[in-house]
Every structure is written in structure tokens, then in C-alpha cells.
């Protein structure tokens, strides 16, 4: 079925041959080119948590003078942040994880000096209200309540405002508060990318499929469980004993406690699986692929990959070569045994969030917020995140819906 977003986007594509529409406003300082369509109050600075160097929690700094985000492309929107979700990636990025690849994404021609990413704003999930729209944005309007997962090479949501592109953003579920909504986008688009784009699953082909999720109790796991159960799959997860009741509450069919001993033994006694989503990594791939049904198209998709680590350690060119060689070797090794080995990655996607929103509003998926922090407590939120043992998500409340709009 064609979605409203697809109809609007295809209409926008028809306009591509026309010259770009740019507004020019004349002020006392001369003509300035405008890419946005709003006359909303905007300042030049805003409150935000930033880092000025990579390191431990001490590098987090609150400022009232972070640069106000600017619309650089006509398909972008400025969102007033009501709530921001945190992910393990934020702790990693605070310490410089992925810096080489993310710098290349921000500045592909290496024109800027090293360290030009600072002051850097972390936070990958946003739920908030659109404040300004670029001139090519047709699907959203000022005042719309939206949610998005922000790609890691962009400035994040631990700020009063953030810029995202129209194809990354989606109208948020009406049934959720902003705090609840901010718990979903990053883990949801990651799980969607791994299960749907890489794993080939969909609502139409999941019935009776046996899925194993290694690591069911964290952010990605709790979302993936609910998505797969809504699509009719049989879901087994591994988690610690104290998370068993929690994951069963999300609909899991079978639980294996990894703290009781090596999980490969109880798991190999079960009927084989059609797909494994690995949120744990480490030595799991030594045994996990033996749990798949061979020669049936079964796939192992791991989210724990050495891609960013390789580029951090070896540089972009050598890191990418190393990565390509590693994944190709592993994929081939398992292909001859009749199973597929794949790496899964976060992929920002407004259209995926549109589908997830409908599932949330239909009561099929609920947010799992483990703990909420105020904007003044961002360092405490990072401390909590860094301790691990997540049971869902950590969310930072930034501003109340509707303030100053
Ligand atoms: N490739 C990508 O683009 C991408 C995107 C998002 C996430 N990821 C990665 O995917 C992984 C999961 O992300 P997340 O956001 O869900 O992390 P999370 O919220 O921190 O959850 C991790 C969960 O795994 C549990 N766990 C730890 N060791 C386990 C084991 N041996 N067996 C079973 N469960 C175990 C933890 O609880 P206990 O310690 O109490 O058991 C926790 O509940 C992380 O490694 C993350 O970096 C990758």
C-alpha cells in the first residue's frame, strides 16, 4: 500500500527538474538566503550538553551558548527537543569510538582541521516538536509532534534544538508522551535494519518462524522481541536470570538464562532457528551459527561488529579493507555450511518509524523506559548507562511539549 509519505515524496520528485526555490530576505545587513519556511522565534545560541574532547564522564559540559542548529539543506527540519534517548553508542562516542569514520562522514574531503567536530552534542533519539521546515519539506509542518533517530555523524539531541532531515523524521505515536517516544527510535531503526533489511523478515513472513535473540533485556532486545511477537514469530531469548520475568512480560516464548552456564548447551537442545539476532557478540559466533537450520535460508545477523574499531585503529582505507576482508571470509565460511552470516547496522529511517508508530498506536509495541533523568542530570544518566545491565532505555527530559512555541 502506498503511504502518505510516499505520495508526498513522489510529488516532490516530480519537482526536481525545477530550479530550487530559495527565499531571499533583506535585512539591515543586506540580503540573506533562507532555506527554511518559518518565521518562528530563533536565537543564535541554545542550552546543550557538549563535549570538547573525547574522554570519560568529566568531558560532559553544560553550556547555554551552544550554536543554534542551522538548516543546511532544504529537506531538513529543526526540532525543539522534548526528550532525548541515550544508547550505549553515546558512551562509546564520548570516548572517541568511531571518530575516524564519523569525521569522514562529516567532512569527506578532509578540509577541516582535526577536532572540528567539537563542541560535539551526543544523544541519538529525539522526540519533540517541529519548529522550522526547509523549503522542500512537504510531509511535515511547524508544530508537528515528531520522533527520529539521529545518525551519529550529526549533532545530537542533548540540546534544546536539533536538525534532522525529512526522511529521518516521522510523526510520533499519539498514544505516547515525548519521554516514552524518545525510548524507541534508535533501537527500533537498528532492529528494523537488522531484522527487515538484512534478515529479510516482514510482517508477512514471520508466522511460525523460530527466532533467537542473544541479549533480550536491553534496548534493541526489548524492541526486537515486541516487533517479532507482533509479526507472529516464535521468540527465544538469552538474558540473565533476573531479567526473565521482564522479557516474558514482553511476550517471549522461551528464555535461556546465560548466567547459569554456557548457553550453547541448552540452546542446542532446542529445535533449530530461522534467524538469530546477536546483541551480545564476543565468542557467540563461535557456536551460534550451529543453531540455525542449514540450507533453509537461515541467517545469523550480529550487531556487534568491528567496523568502527577497525577504522579507528587502522585509518579509513586500511580499516575498510580489513572490514571487507573479515566479513567476506566469515560469510563464505558459513555459506558452505548452508547458513548466512551478516552484519547489521543502525540505519536512520522515517518510513520505518512511520510503520513502527502505527504498531505502537495499535498497542502492539510499548516503550520500555528503565529510568528518566532531567536535563541537569545528563552526567548521572551517562553513569547509569555506563554501568550496563540495561532493562530497556534511559531517557533525558529536555523541555515540556509546547514550551515557547
Ligand atoms: N551495529 C550497530 O549499528 C548497532 C546499533 C545499536 C546497537 N548496537 C550494539 O548492539 C548491542 C546491544 O545494544 P543495546 O542498545 O540493546 O544495549 P543495552 O541496552 O546496553 O543492552 C545490552 C543487554 O544485554 C544484556 N547482556 C549482557 N551480556 C549478555 C549475555 N552474555 N547474554 C545475554 N544478555 C546479555 C545486558 O543485561 P545484563 O548484563 O544484566 O545481562 C543488557 O540488558 C550493543 O553491543 C550495541 O553496541 C550496534
Amino acid at each position: 500500500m502506498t503511504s502518505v509519505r510516499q505520495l508526498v515524496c513522489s510529488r516532490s520528485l516530480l519537482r526536481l527538474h525545477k530550479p530550487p526555490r530559495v527565499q531571499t530576505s533583506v535585512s539591515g545587513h543586506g540580503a540573506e538566503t533562507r532555506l527554511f519556511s518559518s518565521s518562528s522565534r530563533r536565537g543564535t545560541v541554545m542550552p546543550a550538553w557538549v563535549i570538547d574532547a573525547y574522554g570519560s564522564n568529566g568531558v560532559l559540559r553544560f553550556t547555554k551558548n551552544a550554536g543554534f542548529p542551522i538548516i543546511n539543506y532544504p529537506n531538513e527540519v529543526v526540532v525543539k527537543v522534548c526528550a532525548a534517548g541515550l544508547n550505549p553508542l553515546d558512551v562509546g562516542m564520548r570516548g572517541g569510538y568511531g571518530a575516524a569514520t564519523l569525521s569522514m562522514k562529516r567532512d569527506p574531503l578532509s578540509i577541516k582541521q582535526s577536532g572540528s567536530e567539537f563542541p560535539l552534542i551526543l544523544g541519538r533519539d529525539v522526540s519533540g516538536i517541529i519548529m522550522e521546515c526547509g523549503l522542500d519539506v512537504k510531509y511535515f509542518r511547524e508544530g508537528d509532534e515528531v520522533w527520529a533517530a539521529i545518525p551519529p555523524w550529526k549533532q545530537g539531541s542533548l540540546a534544546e534544538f536539533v536538525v534532522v532531515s525529512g526522511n529521518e523524521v516521522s510523526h510520533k505515536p499519539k498514544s505516547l508522551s515525548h519521554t516514552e517516544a524518545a525510548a524507541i527510535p534508535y533501537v527500533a531503526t537498528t532492529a528494523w535494519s537488522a531484522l527487515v533489511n538484512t534478515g529479510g523478515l516482514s510482517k508477512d513472513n514471520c508466522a511460525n518462524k523460530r527466532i533467537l535473540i542473544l541479549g533480550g533485556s536491553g534496548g534493541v532486545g526489548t524492541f526486537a522481541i515486541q516487533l517479532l511477537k507482533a509479526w507472529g514469530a516464535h521468540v527465544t531469548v538469552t538474558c540473565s536470570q533476573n531479567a526473565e520475568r521482564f522479557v516474558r512480560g514482553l511476550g517471549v516464548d522461551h528464555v535461556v538464562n546465560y548466567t547459569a552456564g554456557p548457553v550453547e548447551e541448552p540452546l542446542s537442545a532446542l529445535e533449530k532457528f530461522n534467524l538469530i539476532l546477536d546483541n551480545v557478540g564476543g565468542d557467540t559466533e563461535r557456536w551460534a551459527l550451529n543453531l540455525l537450520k542449514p540450507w533453509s535460508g537461515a541467517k545469523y545477523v550480529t550487531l556487534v561488529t568491528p567496523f568502527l574499531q577497525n577504522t579507528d585503529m587502522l585509518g579509513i582505507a586500511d580499516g575498510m579493507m580489513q572490514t571487507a576482508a573479515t566479513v567476506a571470509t566469515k560469510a563464505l565460511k558459513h555459506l558452505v555450511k548452508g547458513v548466512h552470516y551478516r552484519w547489521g547496522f543502525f540505519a536512520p529511517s522515517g518510513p520505518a518509524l512511520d510503520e513502527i508508530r502505527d504498531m505502537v498506536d495499535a498497542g502492539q509495541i510499548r516503550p520500555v523506559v528503565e529510568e528518566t533523568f532531567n536535563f541537569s542530570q545528563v552526567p548521572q544518566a551517562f553513569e547509569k548507562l555506563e554501568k550496563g545491565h540495561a532493562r530497556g532505555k534511559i531517557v533525558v527530559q529536555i523541555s515540556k511539549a509546547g514550551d515557547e512555541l
Side-chain angles (χ1 to χ4, degrees):
M1 210 172 72
T2 310
S3 70
V4 180
R5 185 194 286 264
Q6 283 168 325
L7 281 172
V8 174
C9 291
S10 56
R11 280 189 209 130
S12 300
L13 280 176
L14 290 175
R15 273 198 309 277
L16 275 179
H17 63 283
K18 292 184 183 170
R21 298 185 302 141
V22 231
Q23 288 180 358
T24 302
S25 71
V26 180
S27 71
H29 305 288
E32 83 183 277
T33 303
R34 295 183 63 208
L35 293 166
F36 57 88
S37 62
S38 157
S39 58
S40 294
R41 281 157 280 156
R42 67 186 337 269
T44 52
V45 292
M46 64 171 180
W49 282 90
V50 299
I51 61 170
D52 305 298
Y54 298 118
S56 55
N57 229 18
V59 296
L60 287 165
R61 172 174 71 89
F62 178 74
T63 175
K64 288 186 174 170
N65 296 316
F68 196 96
I70 293 168
I71 288 183
N72 281 312
Y73 299 95
N75 69 335
E76 290 179 328
V77 297
V78 176
V79 176
K80 180 179 170 63
V81 183
C82 295
L86 294 184
N87 292 276
L89 179 66
D90 290 304
V91 171
M93 282 177 65
R94 190 199 64 198
Y97 172 71
T101 303
L102 298 177
S103 291
M104 188 196 66
K105 280 291 290 181
R106 292 181 193 113
D107 177 23
L109 300 177
S110 287
I111 292 165
K112 297 178 186 162
Q113 282 185 332
S114 123
S116 60
E117 67 268 40
F118 302 120
L120 182 65
I121 303 173
L122 302 171
R124 305 276 52 101
D125 290 300
V126 57
S127 183
I129 299 165
I130 293 199
M131 196 202 156
E132 289 173 7
C133 291
L135 282 181
D136 273 0
V137 174
K138 302 296 170 218
Y139 189 59
F140 301 98
R141 286 198 313 213
E142 197 182 331
D144 283 359
E145 297 195 282
V146 293
W147 62 348
I150 306 162
W153 52 91
K154 294 189 176 177
Q155 289 289 44
S157 54
L158 288 172
E160 196 177 10
F161 297 96
V162 67
V163 166
V164 281
S165 85
N167 49 17
E168 291 158 1
V169 77
S170 156
H171 289 111
K172 89 177 227 311
K174 287 193 171 35
S175 56
L176 299 188
S177 67
H178 284 288
T179 303
E180 291 170 323
I184 294 181
Y186 186 79
V187 290
T189 45
T190 298
W192 190 277
S193 162
L195 296 171
V196 178
N197 304 347
T198 309
L201 299 180
S202 73
K203 66 176 185 322
D204 301 320
N205 69 8
C206 263
N208 304 320
K209 281 215 164 87
R210 287 179 53 76
I211 315 290
L212 169 63
I213 300 174
L214 298 172
S217 51
V220 176
T222 52
F223 177 85
I225 290 167
Q226 298 186 80
L227 180 73
L228 294 167
K229 285 312 298 173
W231 285 350
H234 181 282
V235 179
T236 299
V237 306
T238 63
C239 65
S240 74
Q241 188 182 18
N242 68 22
E244 176 164 350
R245 186 199 287 239
F246 167 66
V247 295
R248 282 200 189 277
L250 298 170
V252 163
D253 299 289
H254 190 77
V255 180
V256 175
N257 165 21
Y258 81 89
T259 56
V263 280
E264 50 270 43
E265 284 171 31
L267 285 173
S268 22
L270 303 175
E271 189 188 329
K272 292 210 185 292
F273 295 94
N274 301 101
L275 186 136
I276 297 174
L277 175 66
D278 189 350
N279 301 319
V280 172
D283 77 340
T284 47
E285 45 179 85
R286 198 174 41 76
W287 46 264
L289 285 102
N290 299 329
L291 306 172
L292 290 169
K293 286 180 190 165
W295 309 111
S296 67
K299 291 191 181 84
Y300 165 87
V301 183
T302 180
L303 286 172
V304 187
T305 80
F307 172 55
L308 291 177
Q309 214 175 344
N310 283 348
T311 50
D312 282 343
M313 274 171 22
L314 304 171
I316 296 293
D318 288 353
M320 284 192 170
M321 294 250 291
Q322 170 80 44
T323 300
T326 305
V327 73
T329 311
K330 289 184 178 187
L332 205 59
K333 173 181 150 195
H334 293 292
L335 197 59
V336 296
K337 296 185 196 162
V339 293
H340 299 273
Y341 173 95
R342 297 278 186 275
W343 286 355
F345 292 100
F346 159 74
S349 171
L353 286 175
D354 287 349
E355 291 196 46
I356 292 158
R357 177 210 41 238
D358 294 344
M359 295 180 77
V360 171
D361 280 339
Q364 294 175 305
I365 290 175
R366 64 178 170 84
V368 186
V369 180
E370 182 178 13
E371 195 167 346
T372 305
F373 292 84
N374 296 325
F375 197 24
S376 60
Q377 297 173 310
V378 165
Q380 289 94 314
F382 270 78
E383 272 167 31
K384 164 83 185 160
L385 187 63
E386 213 160 358
K387 282 187 188 139
H389 305 301
R391 298 290 178 265
K393 301 286 305 165
I394 290 167
V395 177
V396 178
Q397 292 172 321
I398 311 273
S399 67
K400 288 203 172 67
D403 280 0
E404 297 168 28
L405 275 176

